[in-house]
Each structure stands twice: as structure tokens, then as C-alpha cells.
Amino acid sequence: MAIARKLYFFGFIIMLILQHNNLYAQKTPVNFTGWYQYEGLHAFKEGKPWGLFGEAIIKRNDIILKEMQYFARVGINYNLKSGNRISGGLAYQYNLPYDEVSQPYNWPDYRIWEQYLIRKPVTNGMWIHRFRMEQRWLGRKDDPANDGFDEFKFENTFRYLIRRNFVLNQKYYAIVYDEIHLRFLTAEPEKILDQNRLFAGIGINLDKNKLWRLEMGYMYQPVFKTSVDVEGKSRVNHALRVTVATDIPFAK
């Protein structure tokens, strides 16, 4: 199993290098972005399986100078006795033009999502596998000058994330993860591989019970074809990611 995981990471690194070189050969836009995030997993009552999941992200281009995207996700979470989790809910993203391959107008992205998360504690850390499905409705205009949207394009997205946490001491831990996005069952033929997110960073436990954490690091995000209706829409985003995460329950 350990060998398979190593081969997985090695394969994705090779794929990203090849895709990266291909994207640059096509004079693909390269952006330096900042993702500023809150992620909360709040049990309705301490020790009980049901809870609320909430996530909010402000994404900025040029690290912080230019508007890029605003994202919110909310859902219900159920903790299994095994430590794994089942979740589902709604999400919304508001997109603004931020490079030359962006849509030339602001547009919304409405989502329904479902996920299953596997947690595998190991010596000095943890493996996390997250399987997420998203049904998405993307606002589209034939004429950017129109006030409303001519259609809401439907897409299915499958996202798989594999993450490894490495405990350094009682306060600090290291993080490495990779997440692949696949698009399928769309109304029109499109590329299956949408994007990949490769991240490395550091986590800080902000309290002795580890209920509050700060995670910071670098993410490499090649987007092979953005969710638009024109071929050749690719980009590379280098991202500073800063996340405040908490598991604090609503009630004891």
C-alpha cells in the first residue's frame, strides 16, 4: 500500500511537469494568487456524530491586489464509528475575470456536493482520502453586455484528494496533498482532466486541544481547460494558501 501511494505521487509529479511544459509552450497565462480560507467542522453536540460543515474562501490574484473568486460551501456532516465521514450540501462560487482566458464577465457557479472522507492514522501523522462529487450549474452569456445569463451550463465533477499529515511536535505539523479534478457526463464533449492541485505547507495547532489550527503553504494549480465553452482555455496558478480550520462543537 505504501509503495502504491509513492507511485501515485511520483506519477502525478511527472504528469504535472509534462503538462506544465506543454502549457508554457502554448503561452498559457501564469498567475500568482492568494487563497484565504476558513474551514469549520462543528458537531451539533460534542461527541455526537451529526454536525455542520462550513467553508469560505476569498481568492485574489497578484496575491491580494485583484479580485478573483469568492467561494462558500455549507453542508451536513456525519461521523462514522470508524472515524470516516459522510457529508453533503450546497456550494456557491462567484467568479470575476482575472486573466486573458477568463470569461469576459462576472458569473456564478451553483453546486450540490457529496463526499466520503477516509482517515487513516499512522505513526507520526495521518493519511486522508477524500472522494467528492459536485453537480455544477455555470452561468453563461452569448453576449457579455447582456444583463442576465443565456444559460446555466451543467457539469459533473469528481474530485479525489490524497493528503498526508506529518506530526513534527505538539504544535507543528507538515502537510502534503494532491487533488485531481475530473469532468464527465457533460452536455458537450470536453476534456475529462480539468485541473490538479499540488500543495505543501505547515500547520500550527493554536490551542492545546488542537481545536483551532492555522495552515499555510504553496499550491501549484495547472488548469488544463477551464469550465468555459472555448477550446484552449488553460492557465497555471501559483497560490499562497492560508487556512484557519476548527473542529469546535456548537455545544458540549
Side-chain angles (χ1 to χ4, degrees), residues 35 177 197-199 217-221 237-241:
W35 294 31
Y177 72 68
R197 299 177 180 180
L198 182 63
F199 174 89
Y218 164 76
M219 185 180 74
Y220 172 64
Q221 182 196 21
N237 289 332
H238 301 282
L240 166 67
R241 293 203 67 162

Side-chain angles (χ1 to χ4, degrees), residues 45-62:
K45 189 173 183 179
E46 188 175 19
K48 299 298 182 180
W50 291 98
L52 179 70
F53 177 82
E55 180 182 26
I57 311 175
I58 297 174
K59 303 178 186 180
R60 308 282 295 188
N61 199 10
D62 294 339

